[in-house]
Amino acid sequence: MYRAFGRPILLSSTFRYLADLLGFAGPLCISGIVKYLNASDEVPAPDKEKETYFGVYFMSSTELLQNTSVLAVLLFLALILQRTFLQASYYVTIETGINLRGALLAMIYNKILRLSTSNMSMGEMTLGQINNLVAIETNQLMWFLFLCPNLWAMPVQIVMGVILLYYLLGYSALVGASVIVLLAPVQYLIATKLADTQKSTLEHSTDRLKKTTEILKGIKLLKLYAWENIFCDSVEDTRGKELTSLKTFAFYTSMSIFMNAAIPIAAVLATFVMHHFINEKGPSPSEAFAALALFHILVTPLFLLSTVVRFAVKALVSVQKLGEFLQSDEIGDDSWRNGDMAVSLEPGKKHLGPTKAINRKQPMRYQMDNYEQPTRRQMRPTETEDVAVKVSNGFFTWGSNLSTLSDINIRIPTSQLTMIVGQVGCGKSSLLLAMLGEMQTIDGRVHWSELPDCERVYDGNFSKNRYSVAYAAQKSWLLNATVEENITFGSPFNKQRYKTVIDTCSLQLDIDLLPFGDQTEIGERGINLSGGQRQRICVARALYQNTNIVFLDDPFSALDIHLSDHLMQEGILKFLQEDKRTVVLVTHKLQYLIHADWIIAMKDGSVLREGTLKDIQTHDVELYDHWKTLMNRQDQGLEKDIQQDSQTTLERKTLRRAFYSREAKNQIDDEDEEEEEEEEDDDNMSTTTNRRSKIPWRVCWCYMSSGGFFMVFLMVSSKLLKHSVIVAIDYWLARWTSSKTNQSTGAGAYSSNGTSLAETIGMNTTSYLPVFIILCAAGITLCLITSLTVEFLGLSAATNLHHNLLNKIIHAPIRFFDITPLGQILNRFSADTNIIDQHIPPTLESLTRSTLLCLSAIGVISSITPAFLIALLPLAVAFYFIQKYFRVASKDLQDLDDSTQLPLLCHFSETAEGLTTIRAFRHEARFKQRMLELTDTNNTAYLFLSAANRWLEVRTDYLGAVIVLTAAVTSIWSSQYLPAGGLVGLGLTYALTVTNYLNWVVRNLADLEVQMAAVKKVNSFLSTESENYEGSMDATQVPENWPQDGEIKIQDLCVRYDPMLKPVLKHVNAYIEPGQKVGICGRTGSGKSSLSLAFFNMVDIFEGKIVIDGIDICKLPLQTLRSRLSIILQDPVLFSGSIRFNLDPERTCTDDRLWEALEIAQLKNMVKALPGGLDAVVTEGGENFSVGQRQLFCLARAFVRKSSILIMDEATASIDMATENILQKVVMTAFADRTVVTIAHRVHTILTADLVIVMKRGNILEYDKPETLLEQEDGMFASFVKADM
């Protein structure tokens, strides 16, 4: 630490000491001015002229210091210098802190690049942990560094302060000081308590967020089943717990605010009461006010001390965490990269140059030493004739001592296609990773061969880089970048090659769907692609890279059959083989084995067979036959696959839907356009400045009113009272001390109200002290009340805002969720709610406090010396412009800081996810370079932000100094007419406090403005329309068992998603008899799904009606309508909780009913086997069940609700053939007497239906029995069936 950052820290500390010592000049000057003012009133002027020599008047130095005007100027200079030094010190520490953070980030990143893979997969290091290290721990250390000069500056400040107090007031000063010192540990206690409550609050809020996320993801289902309120209550429940811990948080915060306000009052009280009893003569005004100013100075270091100690503790924890992280296992320890094994990589190939770039701002002493390439033993050319990679008796492990792969002896022939096959979990992927050096080697060696020189040709403008491996992992990994950047992945762009790659991976269609083609951002923050699309992009990346060796880990798993065939033929056989590249392919699709040049069959972590297909056919007949039967099965699967509307088309359809709704959104331009837009309309600089420098009063008012009017009133009145009492205390002190002085000098004429001396003395002895004590007590209690009211005002506002937000969003129409990105809604619940909960109340408190302090100070000064008001005008104007200018800049800089921080965090988590890929490609240096650039931009933004704060503070401090100067000068001038010296002291003490509080006013204003943006965003959501839950009928008028028969009449139905959009269903008429099984089919986008939503009144029915059992559904309350029908959706949705909760959240059914439903859905045996049976755990999104099982749970859920109408939106898309047949039977038997409407994507599922409706573009095209429709040769339905066969 010291070597890297010692010098700047020393520099800043020196500045700091200078500033602190100069700070003490203020009170001394004040005491001098007051003292000599009084004196000069009493010294007759003519005496002075005796000392002239030759008519010139020389001053001695002491006399110079006794001249009040000189003292005033000195005071001004001392203030200016003190402030300048202080800000310089802050700036230096902040710059150092930022540098430290940059260095730490680089260290963490280098470590991530070398983390061993087992750490990531075995869950020792989670992504969350790494994110926390980057986002929280580094910042903690940075903040500690900002505050750390205080650690050694404060003791000095405190000691000096106490010595001066003693010099002014004698022993009684020590009493006051001891009050301050004794209360400091209490503050520390409160600070630690605060940290604890914050932890528990955080736990509750993450819990609440998880629930909210689930609700938002499954919102469609919740609405269709009328379960919104149940889930809403569960969130409210968690929120309740969170609020309880927030209440304790608020209480402790208000206590700490109270301590800060009350300690100086208590200290002053103790001191002067003591002084009254020890010294009969009482303090002179000069001493009293110097002491007051000193107490003000002393409070800050003590308050800060508690904060600094808290930060120091946090920083220690952070250091510990970072240490643990930096000492965790690395991949380089025992894998081939250290050269203890014969791996003949060309020496120095890995050293890709730009790693030097770390050495930029400050000399990083820990330049990564392990970049030194170990020398590799060259192998004899004979060993490497046609083998690209050779593993000899390898034992590899994932970190535990058991070997995952044992006794591996394989070779991968050069420029040929090698396939690795085997059952799930037999170590195929591990084998690839072992060859890449990601696993820990127990024994054995991996040889990578070298190209003979003659073959190292330049192929076109590409040279093949032998030593990096193109690798496509099983779990696809994308960068947050454009599609094109994801595919080229840092290689030079070659148009023709790029096009070929895109065609082989059949990505062209998908790219055409994206709004900006291949320049669209994808990845976490971009557009979400489906699994298949992501996987194809990863494969494309591997193909595009010009490397000799390509590792593909099961590239076909998420692709349907046409795509995988195309990829196999065009991509692997044609594109890669023509390039003579060595390909290693892990796959489950045995029908491709015929193309393989070399096959490695694996079983349970070791190699079962290795050779060509012919070898295996002759030597291991059993295995070959086993493969044949499997292949037959897969062929049957093939035929099935071809029948369905393939997966890819479905994926493309969902993508198209997402964009369609987004475009619609752009046409509508909801009020909720992203917040920035409003500001960017106008490029005319002056108008934007004006518009942006307005304080959002409307939002503030909205915030206040949601806190409740009583609380607001209480807050305002108690604040005003408190400040008037504080002024009264000081004023009384002034009266008291000056009356004492006057009485002691015997100058009765100077008694403050001009009454005779006797009265003053009589009044003095009896009433000054008790009044003083009463006022102080009142001040302290009012401090307590104000700090509590502000915090609890904030709390009630937060409670109400969150409650309203949740209710609004959960009851919003489904269209709202189509056009508002999920992330945006979640942001309202996470970041914005957090700001409203925890950040606004303290800011509000501190803003009102500092504003009122400044106003009261100015009021006091001008009431004492009215001449001050003249000087005030220009100062006020200057202040107004400074704050306006600063607020605009600060807001933008804060946005800049936030927007540069996001990519940095994303880059870290991205790297951690794609470690294996990055290391296989050998792109570590490129990623590190990118990380350094991102860190730089973020640090620069942050530095500018703090520099802006320094700019502001220097400006306001100088303004404050000018105020002090004017106050001093005016009081000196008008001293002839002034009543008592005590009041001058009062005025000057106040002027000194102004300097401290002016910049707080502005900074709090700026902060509040930024924080109010959160309220504004939440508010914009509060204005969304809710669905109309009350129908025109009362719920009691609906018969208990409606709909009994399940007869549906659709009359002239027109439906649209939004009044602004075109209708999706136009004048549809249909009649469905009770108990009929109806199939609805049609091309993508023909309005099938919209029809199913219309039954639930989820879309805008603007003409016509649907009548079920004689009741028009538009008249029913939504809750009633939706709770009486059931639906099975296309995508299965499960919630975290128990199986019972998923089937029946309302808790209305008996266990038998639930078991019956599970039995019908073929799940009974599986659930019985689970621990806990019906109460078995379902993880978030149902991830612990396969997609097929989730779909079956949804079926069971629909069955639990015994309604006579069931709507199935193609429930069978993700289920295999066998299960699907079962489902068909179930629907026919279990739902025999119910009306079932099936929306089919594959026509053969509805061939047995009683009635088929074929839709096209929102109209009914054909409407009849399936048999009749099949007879019409040229009919739409017939053509569908033909295509399907």
Side-chain angles (χ1 to χ4, degrees):
M1 273 292 280
Y2 181 75
R3 270 206 328 219
F5 303 114
R7 262 183 258 137
I9 288 180
L10 264 176
L11 178 70
S12 107
S13 308
T14 347
F15 279 153
R16 183 61 197 262
Y17 282 139
L18 284 169
D20 286 345
L21 295 179
L22 278 168
F24 289 117
L28 294 178
C29 288
I30 288 186
S31 93
I33 291 179
V34 176
K35 195 160 157 191
Y36 301 126
L37 258 185
N38 283 354
S40 66
D41 289 348
E42 289 141 28
V43 175
D47 299 355
K48 288 183 183 170
E49 284 161 23
K50 295 171 188 165
E51 295 176 29
T52 52
Y53 299 95
F54 314 112
V56 182
Y57 173 52
F58 289 104
M59 277 180 151
S60 65
S61 63
T62 47
E63 226 186 317
L64 174 71
L65 285 178
Q66 281 174 4
N67 183 328
T68 45
S69 316
V70 175
L71 276 174
V73 175
L74 265 183
L75 177 63
F76 175 64
L77 287 176
L79 271 178
I80 293 260
L81 276 175
Q82 179 216 353
R83 288 303 170 171
T84 316
F85 279 137
L86 191 63
Q87 298 305 337
S89 144
Y90 282 155
Y91 182 74
V92 175
T93 26
I94 281 178
E95 196 175 22
T96 321
I98 290 174
N99 281 342
L100 168 78
R101 185 174 130 213
L104 283 174
L105 286 177
M107 268 175 77
I108 295 177
Y109 196 75
N110 286 326
K111 176 70 191 186
I112 289 180
L113 284 178
R114 295 197 315 278
L115 266 186
S116 72
T117 331
S118 56
N119 261 4
M120 295 295 296
S121 56
M122 300 309 220
E124 289 172 36
M125 280 287 152
T126 57
L127 283 180
Q129 268 172 305
I130 290 178
N131 272 347
N132 279 349
L133 282 178
V134 177
I136 298 166
E137 313 301 339
T138 51
N139 284 350
Q140 294 282 11
L141 283 170
M142 175 171 78
W143 276 105
F144 171 66
L145 203 66
F146 289 172
L147 293 172
C148 96
N150 294 334
L151 271 182
W152 41 85
M154 279 169 189
V156 179
Q157 224 176 343
I158 293 171
V159 171
M160 279 289 298
V162 174
I163 293 172
L164 279 173
L165 273 176
Y166 178 68
Y167 151 77
L168 285 169
L169 297 179
Y171 287 109
S172 55
L174 299 180
V175 178
S178 63
V179 168
I180 296 189
V181 175
L182 286 175
L183 286 177
V186 180
Q187 273 193 308
Y188 175 66
L189 255 174
I190 290 179
T192 46
K193 279 276 191 295
L194 264 179
D196 294 347
T197 30
Q198 201 153 14
K199 261 205 193 99
S200 67
T201 314
L202 195 72
E203 281 163 17
H204 290 309
S205 60
T206 39
D207 198 21
R208 169 177 62 87
L209 257 182
K210 203 175 108 196
K211 287 187 175 172
T212 316
T213 321
E214 284 208 315
I215 289 186
L216 293 175
K217 283 189 176 153
I219 188 79
K220 192 170 174 185
L221 183 95
L222 293 182
K223 285 185 167 305
L224 290 170
Y225 273 83
W227 283 344
E228 307 95 317
N229 297 337
I230 302 169
F231 280 80
C232 189
D233 292 342
S234 89
V235 171
E236 287 284 5
D237 192 39
T238 322
R239 174 71 177 169
K241 286 181 200 154
E242 186 185 3
L243 282 173
T244 336
S245 58
L246 270 175
K247 272 198 186 95
T248 27
F249 184 75
F251 175 69
Y252 285 127
T253 318
S254 53
M255 287 326 295
S256 86
I257 293 174
F258 158 66
M259 299 287 283
N260 291 338
I263 286 179
I265 302 180
V268 170
L269 175 68
T271 310
F272 287 115
V273 171
M274 253 334 259
H275 200 283
H276 182 77
F277 288 128
I278 297 177
N279 270 17
E280 272 313 297
K281 187 192 154 243
S284 70
S286 63
E287 290 161 4
F289 284 103
L292 257 186
L294 274 174
F295 275 128
H296 277 292
I297 285 185
L298 271 186
V299 170
T300 26
L302 282 164
F303 163 57
L304 268 175
L305 199 59
S306 66
T307 334
V308 172
V309 172
R310 193 166 90 232
F311 267 106
V313 173
K314 280 190 184 170
L316 282 174
V317 174
S318 297
V319 168
Q320 237 173 333
K321 283 191 186 166
L322 276 171
E324 278 171 29
F325 173 70
L326 292 173
Q327 280 157 4
S328 58
D329 287 348
E330 291 195 7
I331 182 172
D333 296 350
D334 44 10
S335 72
W336 44 259
R337 304 198 174 200
N338 280 356
D340 46 16
M341 307 163 89
V343 182
S344 66
L345 285 177
E346 185 177 285
K349 220 5 172 218
K350 183 179 170 208
H351 203 356
L352 282 175
T355 47
K356 291 281 191 301
I358 305 170
N359 196 347
R360 272 173 314 167
K361 291 263 170 75
Q362 67 277 22
M364 253 179 157
R365 294 275 164 32
Y366 42 121
Q367 183 69 284
M368 300 304 153
D369 302 322
N370 30 0
Y371 266 141
E372 288 310 306
Q373 264 334 73
T375 49
R376 310 219 184 256
R377 186 169 68 65
Q378 292 294 330
M379 291 169 70
R380 296 196 307 286
T382 49
E383 294 178 21
T384 60
E385 271 166 55
D386 56 349
V387 182
V389 186
K390 184 172 170 193
V391 182
S392 38
N393 54 14
F395 289 84
F396 301 96
T397 169
W398 282 122
S400 58
N401 289 330
L402 304 165
S403 53
T404 318
L405 298 176
S406 46
D407 195 19
I408 303 281
N409 285 300
I410 55 165
R411 52 198 198 96
I412 307 280
T414 314
S415 339
Q416 297 202 329
L417 171 58
T418 307
M419 287 198 186
I420 304 180
V421 290
Q423 288 169 332
V424 180
C426 66
K428 303 185 294 294
S429 307
S430 303
L431 183 61
L432 288 189
L433 292 175
M435 289 193 277
L436 288 173
E438 293 284 332
M439 293 178 73
Q440 294 175 13
T441 315
I442 301 177
D443 185 25
R445 46 208 322 196
V446 182
H447 305 273
W448 290 70
S449 62
E450 225 192 309
L451 273 180
D453 289 330
C454 56
E455 274 187 38
R456 209 171 284 152
V457 279
Y458 285 89
D459 168 36
N461 46 2
F462 272 84
S463 77
K464 288 189 189 167
N465 178 356
R466 165 62 155 190
Y467 303 98
S468 80
V469 175
Y471 169 69
Q474 202 167 359
K475 180 172 175 280
S476 49
W477 169 72
L478 299 182
L479 287 170
N480 280 326
T482 61
V483 180
E484 181 189 308
E485 283 164 9
N486 259 303
I487 292 175
T488 54
F489 202 63
S491 307
F493 183 76
N494 171 338
K495 192 164 181 185
Q496 187 189 351
R497 184 184 180 93
Y498 178 70
K499 208 166 156 25
T500 328
V501 169
I502 283 203
D503 287 343
T504 53
C505 296
S506 33
L507 277 166
Q508 198 51 55
L509 276 170
D510 303 272
I511 289 180
D512 295 342
L513 282 180
L514 296 172
F516 308 111
D518 60 4
Q519 298 305 316
T520 314
E521 289 263 336
I522 53 177
E524 292 299 305
R525 302 207 316 288
I527 278 149
N528 291 333
L529 300 176
S530 64
Q533 290 158 337
R534 296 172 65 109
Q535 193 159 27
R536 293 206 302 275
I537 289 178
C538 288
V539 174
R541 175 195 303 152
L543 298 184
Y544 184 83
Q545 296 304 313
N546 206 22
T547 53
N548 254 14
I549 302 185
V550 183
F551 280 5
L552 300 175
D553 192 349
D554 206 354
F556 307 126
S557 58
L559 308 184
D560 58 39
I561 200 88
H562 309 290
L563 289 179
S564 38
D565 273 348
H566 183 77
L567 177 63
M568 184 74 208
Q569 295 297 338
E570 294 296 311
I572 296 173
L573 296 177
K574 212 165 136 203
F575 184 76
L576 292 177
Q577 296 278 300
E578 279 174 9
D579 257 6
K580 289 236 169 23
R581 285 154 85 181
T582 310
V583 185
V584 180
L585 173 71
V586 170
T587 182
H588 285 277
K589 307 230 171 192
L590 298 175
Q591 65 264 34
Y592 296 145
L593 282 178
I594 40 175
H595 303 301
D597 300 312
W598 190 254
I599 297 172
I600 298 172
M602 299 209 41
K603 189 173 183 185
D604 306 333
S606 56
V607 176
L608 184 66
R609 273 281 166 192
E610 164 180 46
T612 58
L613 191 59
K614 269 223 171 76
D615 294 349
I616 293 178
Q617 196 173 347
T618 45
H619 294 114
D620 195 337
V621 189
E622 208 177 310
L623 182 64
Y624 188 69
D625 288 343
H626 178 58
W627 281 352
K628 263 192 118 151
T629 47
L630 282 174
M631 266 147 95
N632 287 338
R633 249 187 257 165
Q634 279 188 338
D635 284 342
Q636 286 164 8
L638 258 177
E639 287 156 20
K640 271 192 313 211
D641 249 10
I642 294 170
Q643 290 171 10
Q644 4 174 320
D645 188 350
S646 70
Q647 201 178 348
T648 321
T649 30
L650 277 179
E651 286 173 355
R652 288 187 182 142
K653 179 171 144 191
T654 44
L655 197 61
R656 204 174 301 132
R657 270 192 195 158
F659 287 115
Y660 170 63
S661 52
R662 268 192 211 176
E663 280 158 25
K665 173 185 182 193
N666 296 346
Q667 293 159 13
I668 303 170
D669 270 357
D670 284 6
E671 315 90 86
D672 188 57
E673 262 316 285
E674 284 306 298
E675 291 69 40
E676 292 80 43
E677 306 254 335
E678 304 158 15
E679 290 153 8
E680 281 156 16
D681 298 340
D682 221 330
D683 286 341
N684 184 340
M685 191 50 208
S686 61
T687 50
T688 30
T689 321
N690 278 338
R691 173 140 27 110
R692 291 214 301 242
S693 55
K694 285 200 190 85
I695 299 166
W697 293 120
R698 246 187 38 234
V699 182
C700 284
W701 171 240
C702 148
Y703 176 76
M704 295 291 206
S705 56
S706 57
F709 293 102
F710 172 67
M711 289 298 271
V712 174
F713 167 72
L714 197 66
M715 177 184 99
V716 174
S717 52
S718 63
K719 279 266 171 194
L720 291 172
L721 258 176
K722 173 181 117 175
H723 282 280
S724 33
V725 167
I726 290 180
V727 171
I729 293 176
D730 292 346
Y731 175 70
W732 197 251
L733 192 65
R735 288 277 302 268
W736 185 15
T737 52
S738 39
S739 74
K740 280 192 180 180
T741 326
N742 298 333
Q743 150 203 344
S744 58
T745 49
Y750 281 109
S751 160
S752 42
N753 42 10
T755 44
S756 70
L757 190 59
E759 267 178 41
T760 319
I761 295 175
M763 180 177 156
N764 168 38
T765 41
T766 53
S767 64
Y768 272 124
L769 186 63
V771 170
F772 184 62
I773 294 177
I774 290 169
L775 278 177
C776 284
I780 291 179
T781 42
L782 277 170
C783 280
L784 182 61
I785 295 173
T786 47
S787 58
L788 283 171
T789 45
V790 172
E791 280 296 324
F792 283 96
L793 166 78
L795 247 182
S796 61
T799 317
N800 293 336
L801 281 171
H802 179 269
H803 175 78
N804 299 343
L805 176 70
L806 185 67
N807 281 328
K808 266 293 185 207
I809 286 202
I810 274 198
H811 294 138
I814 199 80
R815 171 95 193 123
F816 171 78
F817 299 97
D818 286 343
I819 56 179
T820 323
L822 180 71
Q824 203 179 337
I825 305 180
L826 274 180
N827 249 343
R828 301 296 164 271
F829 281 109
S830 54
D832 296 343
T833 309
N834 182 27
I835 288 180
I836 293 172
D837 285 348
Q838 295 185 9
H839 294 84
I840 294 184
T843 313
L844 199 63
E845 204 284 333
S846 142
L847 174 68
T848 44
R849 188 179 67 212
S850 28
T851 317
L852 284 171
L853 268 168
C854 288
L855 290 178
S856 58
I858 288 168
V860 168
I861 301 173
S862 37
S863 68
I864 294 170
T865 50
F868 176 69
L869 284 173
I870 306 163
L872 194 64
L873 266 174
L875 288 176
V877 172
F879 177 70
Y880 172 74
F881 280 109
I882 287 181
Q883 61 91 23
K884 180 170 157 182
Y885 191 74
F886 171 76
R887 280 201 350 258
V888 176
S890 159
K891 194 172 166 198
D892 287 357
L893 283 169
Q894 224 146 2
D895 290 349
L896 193 66
D897 180 43
D898 292 345
S899 60
T900 50
Q901 201 165 5
L902 248 181
L904 182 64
L905 292 179
C906 281
H907 185 67
F908 267 89
S909 55
E910 227 170 55
T911 310
E913 273 176 38
L915 262 184
T916 37
T917 313
I918 295 174
R919 287 202 287 239
F921 279 103
R922 289 295 169 72
H923 276 263
E924 291 103 322
R926 185 169 72 93
F927 275 80
K928 188 174 302 170
Q929 190 55 36
R930 173 106 180 100
M931 190 275 310
L932 290 170
E933 282 160 19
L934 288 170
T935 315
D936 263 13
T937 41
N938 186 17
N939 283 348
T940 321
Y942 194 84
L943 191 64
F944 283 155
L945 182 63
S946 32
N949 284 340
R950 298 290 80 80
W951 179 90
L952 165 82
E953 288 182 4
V954 171
R955 299 292 180 288
T956 46
D957 289 340
Y958 287 177
L959 261 185
V962 173
I963 289 181
V964 174
L965 182 65
T966 44
V969 170
T970 45
S971 54
I972 291 166
W973 279 346
S974 46
S975 62
Q976 286 85 10
Y977 331 105
L978 249 198
L983 294 179
V984 176
L986 179 68
L988 285 182
T989 316
Y990 267 91
L992 262 187
T993 56
V994 172
T995 53
N996 285 336
Y997 288 114
L998 270 182
N999 66 50
W1000 279 112
V1001 173
V1002 184
R1003 283 183 63 177
N1004 288 326
L1005 255 184
D1007 285 350
L1008 191 66
E1009 199 175 1
V1010 173
Q1011 289 164 2
M1012 277 299 166
V1015 181
K1016 183 173 154 200
K1017 289 178 194 167
V1018 168
N1019 245 2
S1020 68
F1021 273 13
L1022 288 180
S1023 56
T1024 48
E1025 306 254 311
S1026 287
E1027 285 185 286
N1028 174 17
Y1029 272 83
E1030 323 293 285
S1032 47
M1033 291 174 71
D1034 200 2
T1036 47
Q1037 298 171 346
V1038 184
E1040 262 308 292
N1041 51 3
W1042 178 92
Q1044 209 170 358
D1045 310 326
E1047 169 196 47
I1048 307 176
K1049 287 187 203 141
I1050 303 176
Q1051 298 169 354
D1052 201 24
L1053 180 70
C1054 297
V1055 164
R1056 57 190 171 189
Y1057 277 101
D1058 193 275
M1060 320 287 293
L1061 295 176
K1062 298 197 288 280
V1064 279
L1065 294 179
K1066 303 164 203 136
H1067 306 291
V1068 173
N1069 287 295
Y1071 174 70
I1072 297 170
E1073 290 169 25
Q1076 258 190 340
K1077 308 285 176 281
V1078 183
I1080 302 178
C1081 60
R1083 291 247 160 84
T1084 307
S1086 60
K1088 315 185 288 285
S1089 301
S1090 311
L1091 183 60
S1092 69
L1093 291 178
F1095 286 120
F1096 289 85
N1097 201 354
M1098 292 277 277
V1099 281
D1100 182 16
I1101 300 180
F1102 64 102
E1103 252 182 76
K1105 54 187 178 180
I1106 297 181
V1107 180
I1108 298 180
D1109 281 4
I1111 298 181
D1112 178 356
I1113 62 166
C1114 293
K1115 291 183 179 155
L1116 287 171
L1118 286 183
Q1119 197 73 20
T1120 319
L1121 166 70
R1122 292 176 185 170
S1123 58
R1124 304 285 177 87
L1125 307 176
S1126 29
I1127 183 167
I1128 300 174
L1129 284 176
Q1130 230 173 337
D1131 320 312
V1133 182
L1134 293 184
F1135 301 100
S1136 57
S1138 61
I1139 292 179
R1140 178 196 307 275
F1141 175 71
N1142 269 295
L1143 294 180
D1144 173 37
E1146 292 155 311
R1147 295 275 160 96
T1148 49
C1149 302
T1150 58
D1151 277 13
D1152 302 343
R1153 175 106 166 257
L1154 297 180
W1155 281 117
E1156 183 192 359
L1158 285 174
E1159 193 169 4
I1160 288 173
Q1162 317 295 313
L1163 286 169
K1164 187 171 181 180
N1165 297 338
M1166 188 204 75
V1167 176
K1168 270 218 166 108
L1170 291 174
L1174 281 175
D1175 297 308
V1177 181
V1178 180
T1179 53
E1180 193 173 349
E1183 293 292 327
N1184 51 350
F1185 298 107
S1186 70
V1187 182
Q1189 286 169 328
R1190 280 183 247 169
Q1191 191 73 68
L1192 292 174
F1193 273 117
C1194 294
L1195 184 84
R1197 181 191 288 156
F1199 195 77
V1200 169
R1201 173 178 283 187
K1202 288 225 154 85
S1203 64
S1204 59
I1205 297 179
L1206 170 70
I1207 295 169
M1208 288 173 66
D1209 189 351
E1210 187 51 85
T1212 50
S1214 51
I1215 299 180
D1216 58 274
M1217 216 49 188
T1219 329
E1220 189 187 333
N1221 292 339
I1222 300 171
L1223 275 189
Q1224 293 291 326
K1225 283 200 198 88
V1226 167
V1227 171
M1228 290 311 163
T1229 53
F1231 294 96
D1233 50 345
R1234 311 187 185 187
T1235 310
V1236 180
V1237 180
T1238 310
I1239 297 190
H1241 296 255
R1242 302 186 241 163
V1243 188
H1244 70 208
T1245 49
I1246 55 172
L1247 286 177
T1248 51
D1250 305 330
L1251 175 66
V1252 169
I1253 300 177
V1254 182
M1255 302 196 63
K1256 186 176 182 183
R1257 296 200 189 144
N1259 298 312
I1260 289 189
L1261 194 66
E1262 301 172 358
Y1263 173 95
D1264 212 329
K1265 290 198 175 71
E1267 298 80 48
T1268 331
L1269 290 177
L1270 278 174
E1271 285 160 14
Q1272 307 169 3
E1273 289 288 307
D1274 51 351
M1276 187 96 162
F1277 185 66
S1279 67
F1280 274 153
V1281 176
K1282 267 202 211 87
D1284 227 5
M1285 276 315 172

